[in-house]
Amino acid sequence: MNEAPKLNSFRAGPDEEGRFGIFGGRFVAETLMPLILDLQDEWNKAKSDPSFKADLEKLGAHYIGRPSPLYFAERLTAELGGAKIYFKREELNHTGSHKINNCIGQILLAKRMGKTRIIAETGAGQHGVASATVAARFGLPCVVYMGATDVERQAPNVFRMKLLGAEVKPVTAGHGTLKDAMNEALRDWVTNVDSTYYLIGTAAGPHPYPEMVRDFQSVIGQEAKEQILAAEGRLPDLVIAAVGGGSNAIGIFHPFLDDEGVKIVGVEAGGKGLDGDEHCASITAGSPGVLHGNRTYLLQDGDGQIKEGHSISAGLDYPGIGPEHAWLNDVGRVEYVPIMDHEALEAFQILTKLEGIIPALEPSHALAEVIKRAPKMGKDEIILMNLSGRGDKDIFTVGKILGMGQ
Amino acid sequence: MTARMEKRFADVAAEGRPVLVTYFMGGDPDFDTSLAIMKALPKAGADVIELGMPFSDPMADGPAIQLAGQRSLKAGQTLAKTLELARLFRGEDQHTPIVLMGYYNPIYIYGVDRFLTDALEAGIDGLIVVDLPPEMDDELCIPALKRDINFIRLATPTTDDRRLPKVLENTSGFVYYVSMTGITGSALPDPSLIAGAVQRIKSHTELPVCVGFGVKTAEHARAIGASADGVVVGTAIVNQIASSLTEEGRATDATVPGVEALVKGLSAGVRAARLAAAE
């Protein structure tokens, strides 16, 4: 079945082969194929199992703290003088980001499948912390692969994972960032096929991960939609989120994709600028290719070798993007734009000072785009932004750059 | 199956011994040295050559082959240059089958049609593309088979009887049985388990079955070769190359002779295999 998703809906993908248009698919070694097919079977069963849904909702409410609030940023709105700005406050979730939504869902699947060991990759450490957390909660051993560079720049999260009982394995291959951590996690999985569940943190990888992670994260957009209707009596004019692999973004975007009047913008890491190699803008500056189990936009050279990205934010530091984002870009439903390191840093400080919220550097990118757009919009218009994580993990990075406190 | 591949397997079978398949990374540590290595392989007793195409993110490979790929890319290797290696080799050897082995993205970026045209022109007989399972056959496997280039599939311990027919469906040339779940360069499992797995695969296909992953010594080659149609050696050769290099990763006078000596030993191993099995 290679039937294209129906054009009367942007929410029909992927097809049975895991494709969103030309993107997605299952580009993995044969050793992993049976595992991925098993996972897909279990996921299909779980989706229609009321007890699975009930477990998710119960843990969502009492463990994660859902629903997360929708917050009207009054002072920021006044300061920018344009559209009303609302934040979906995923940074208030247990463990401090949206990552836990997906981890709870996947560990329930791992338990259903009888797996006894969890592995995960992490960039900023938010997914690693969320994985270590659910592994502790369900009593399973957990190994987190993390690029050596990230281990250094995200030290507080490394400490957290270790406290939670996870083993953090620094990866020195390549530049020691998220891409290399994912390679190493795949090598572990291909070796420990019987016992191990690979808990992928973003809406990328081989089918069914992009669909599954999206569905676990779509709770963000579903809640936000109800909340904004309750608060404003109508849908937002603009929905914005930061995109690395793209799980927080697809989570808030997906429930709005078929709402015609809602403009949707994904913000990529522009790093130090798109002219050189020091950025992570896979869609804006990359091209379609195949990596980590799916076809998507990648940063690569003319020989198909994958480049190392750069971003001030370790969570956006990945040279690819989830396949559904690649497709949403090509069909024109979502606009993807880059934000530079310095713009994100400025946004980080503005939010901290105006609203008393320290955002993670990842959503600071989305915020920088909000700061650009809000003043140009009418006061009766509404922006909804996913504030996907809190900035505690980034305060040392930011402090160092700003020369504070030393 | 290409005539060259078919003939080589038939000729070796007539000798009553398994085929020795040798892997090395194209361009490691540099273009000229790897061409010299490639030319030395058949002379040392290799029957089939697997020519590695370097990739920045080799997800199914262990540290040895990862590092070989990095050395090769650092020395400026590209897919076009890997094809050029094959073409130059073919200039003096028209009989040894060449199988390109690597990952899909460099081929995808090169362009599948252009790649197949250039591969045929360079004298390539088969492809092993690690991240293209049968579910992705439309990408490269079917176009390659239409052009009469073998698409050699990996079967693994996780490929059960239910899945095996799907894996074998569009496989040609030979079946590459991966002796364990894991990455290249791991330890060799029990040869008797491998013999059972090879028999299981052979009950589903007429194709020759070659076994790889973990074969490092002549003794391994002999033991595996007792039950399989062929033995694949990769990491041991890559390690031999690595151990001969300077600290900066440059070739030395020992690089090519070191590979020759290793492959001669492995070749003696496969030549002793059936003899030993018959005893």
Side-chain angles (χ1 to χ4, degrees):
Chain A
M1 287 282 289
N2 278 326
E3 192 184 345
K6 291 179 186 66
L7 288 177
N8 59 4
S9 174
F10 292 102
R11 305 180 64 201
D15 67 13
E16 282 176 32
E17 305 298 325
R19 293 176 197 265
F20 302 90
I22 67 159
F23 300 105
R26 285 181 287 219
F27 296 88
V28 297
E30 173 57 30
T31 311
L32 293 180
M33 256 332 281
L35 281 75
I36 284 167
L37 294 173
D38 282 351
L39 176 60
Q40 194 179 330
D41 280 350
E42 195 61 41
W43 167 233
N44 285 337
K45 279 184 222 155
K47 268 195 283 194
S48 54
D49 180 349
S51 76
F52 183 76
K53 196 166 175 255
D55 284 349
L56 262 185
E57 281 176 3
K58 193 173 157 197
L59 286 160
H62 301 292
Y63 191 68
I64 300 178
R66 306 216 66 87
S68 65
L70 182 76
Y71 171 71
F72 173 47
E74 209 176 328
R75 296 236 303 148
L76 182 66
T77 298
E79 173 77 15
L80 296 174
K84 293 177 86 169
I85 299 159
Y86 281 88
F87 294 135
K88 180 60 174 164
R89 296 203 54 190
E90 289 295 301
E91 103 280 12
L92 291 177
N93 293 340
H94 181 41
T95 73
S97 82
H98 69 290
K99 292 291 186 188
I100 190 87
N101 301 328
N102 167 50
C103 287
I104 284 285
Q106 286 201 51
I107 202 146
L108 286 173
L109 273 180
K111 288 295 264 190
R112 285 172 72 104
M113 295 176 80
K115 300 293 182 183
T116 55
R117 176 175 176 264
I118 301 295
I119 58 169
E121 83 296 333
T122 197
Q126 292 302 89
H127 174 60
V129 167
S131 299
T133 298
V134 299
R137 166 67 181 75
F138 285 86
L140 295 177
C142 177
V143 175
V144 179
Y145 290 93
M146 186 169 188
T149 308
D150 291 338
V151 168
E152 204 172 304
R153 63 177 166 171
Q154 302 289 336
N157 273 345
V158 174
F159 186 51
R160 239 173 240 138
M161 286 183 264
K162 287 182 177 169
L163 281 174
L164 288 160
E167 184 186 350
V168 179
K169 289 198 176 173
V171 177
T172 50
H175 280 202
T177 57
L178 182 53
K179 155 178 102 92
D180 309 299
M182 200 153 182
N183 289 336
E184 214 51 42
L186 283 163
R187 291 184 186 114
D188 181 314
W189 202 25
V190 90
T191 307
N192 301 296
V193 291
D194 290 328
S195 63
T196 298
Y197 183 91
Y198 181 15
L199 210 173
I200 294 184
T202 194
H207 181 61
Y209 282 101
E211 175 199 294
M212 191 169 72
V213 176
R214 174 198 74 199
D215 287 357
F216 288 137
Q217 293 294 1
S218 289
V219 67
I220 303 172
Q222 286 153 11
E223 287 175 4
K225 204 168 183 177
E226 285 174 26
Q227 289 166 322
I228 197 84
L229 285 171
E232 292 281 346
R234 68 178 189 89
L235 295 177
D237 300 282
L238 175 62
V239 177
I240 293 190
V243 187
S247 70
N248 91 79
I250 202 70
I252 197 163
F253 292 171
H254 198 256
F256 290 99
L257 287 176
D258 286 339
D259 296 313
E260 259 180 53
V262 179
K263 187 172 170 53
I264 303 179
V265 173
V267 182
E268 298 193 293
K272 295 179 181 169
L274 301 191
D275 296 338
D277 280 342
E278 293 198 75
H279 62 80
C280 263
S282 316
I283 285 187
T284 324
S287 58
V290 174
L291 179 71
H292 292 155
N294 57 178
R295 177 166 22 229
T296 189
Y297 279 91
L298 300 173
L299 300 179
Q300 55 186 329
D301 68 15
D303 190 44
Q305 309 296 336
I306 311 304
K307 291 186 189 174
E308 301 283 347
H310 161 85
S311 168
I312 189 174
S313 138
L316 302 180
D317 207 343
Y318 179 70
I321 187 167
E324 192 164 12
H325 287 293
W327 177 75
L328 288 168
N329 174 73
D330 279 18
V331 297
R333 177 62 184 99
V334 178
E335 182 190 355
Y336 294 86
V337 297
I339 280 289
M340 308 305 142
D341 283 351
H342 70 90
E343 295 172 307
L345 203 56
E346 203 174 313
F348 174 98
Q349 296 170 79
I350 289 171
L351 190 66
T352 305
K353 285 177 183 156
L354 278 181
E355 296 284 353
I357 298 172
I358 301 178
L361 283 170
E362 293 79 20
S364 296
H365 284 72
L367 186 65
E369 187 64 21
V370 169
I371 290 169
K372 279 185 184 175
R373 290 186 187 233
K376 296 177 200 155
M377 293 168 68
K379 290 192 174 180
D380 55 341
E381 291 189 281
I382 299 167
I383 298 176
L384 168 64
M385 188 197 105
N386 195 3
L387 187 43
S388 56
R390 65 180 179 227
D392 307 38
K393 69 184 173 60
D394 295 315
I395 54 176
F396 300 108
T397 305
V398 172
K400 208 167 154 188
I401 295 168
L402 299 179
M404 290 166 78
Q406 266 91 35
Chain B
M1 197 184 280
T2 62
R4 195 154 36 215
M5 184 90 82
E6 197 166 10
K7 184 170 186 322
R8 179 54 53 97
F9 272 90
D11 287 352
V12 173
E15 288 178 32
R17 65 169 179 93
V19 169
L20 177 61
V21 182
T22 52
Y23 170 95
F24 74 109
M25 178 64 78
D28 172 33
D30 60 72
F31 185 90
D32 291 340
T33 306
S34 83
L35 180 60
I37 289 169
M38 193 172 183
K39 287 177 175 176
L41 288 172
K43 289 167 192 156
D47 300 302
V48 174
I49 293 177
E50 278 181 18
L51 171 55
M53 303 176 280
F55 182 46
S56 53
D57 294 79
M59 290 147 301
D61 284 302
I65 292 180
Q66 288 178 51
L67 288 171
Q70 285 174 20
R71 287 193 296 269
S72 159
L73 290 171
K74 200 176 159 201
Q77 191 72 4
T78 59
L79 182 50
K81 286 186 182 174
T82 304
L83 291 168
E84 178 66 6
L85 270 178
R87 207 180 59 77
L88 292 172
F89 171 87
R90 212 28 109 219
E92 61 179 57
D93 182 330
Q94 285 83 50
H95 305 295
T96 305
I98 306 172
V99 175
L100 287 173
M101 181 166 184
Y103 295 80
Y104 184 43
N105 197 52
I107 296 171
Y108 178 68
I109 296 306
Y110 195 91
V112 166
D113 282 345
R114 180 180 158 225
F115 169 76
L116 291 173
T117 300
D118 292 356
L120 271 177
E121 190 269 331
I124 299 299
D125 301 278
L127 306 173
I128 300 176
V129 183
V130 179
D131 51 354
L132 286 178
E135 280 74 5
M136 297 283 120
D137 271 357
D138 290 342
E139 297 281 336
L140 179 64
C141 173
I142 305 290
L145 294 178
K146 280 187 185 151
R147 305 288 288 272
D148 203 25
I149 295 183
N150 291 296
F151 200 84
I152 294 143
R153 191 98 60 193
L154 307 183
T156 77
T158 61
T159 315
D160 58 17
D161 282 330
R162 196 166 42 112
R163 182 160 172 82
L164 200 48
K166 190 171 177 80
V167 168
L168 295 172
E169 192 183 352
N170 290 320
T171 300
S172 68
F174 60 90
V175 180
Y176 185 146
Y177 180 66
V178 175
S179 67
M180 71 193 110
T181 61
I183 50 179
T184 52
S186 309
L188 184 74
D190 183 350
S192 65
L193 291 177
I194 295 174
V198 169
Q199 281 315 311
R200 184 168 69 88
I201 295 168
K202 288 184 86 69
S203 71
H204 286 267
T205 180
E206 300 288 309
L207 290 171
V209 178
C210 298
V211 175
F213 278 43
V215 184
K216 293 192 176 71
T217 64
E219 174 51 27
H220 289 157
R222 190 197 59 74
I224 299 297
S227 59
D229 300 302
V231 176
V232 187
V233 184
T235 296
I237 293 171
V238 169
N239 277 336
Q240 173 61 45
I241 293 169
S243 70
S244 75
L245 304 177
T246 65
E247 267 180 40
E248 297 77 38
R250 296 212 181 85
T252 63
D253 289 346
T255 302
V256 179
V259 173
E260 274 173 333
L262 174 69
V263 173
K264 274 181 187 160
L266 294 164
S267 170
V270 296
R271 281 169 171 80
R274 287 303 151 85
L275 224 61
E279 277 166 9

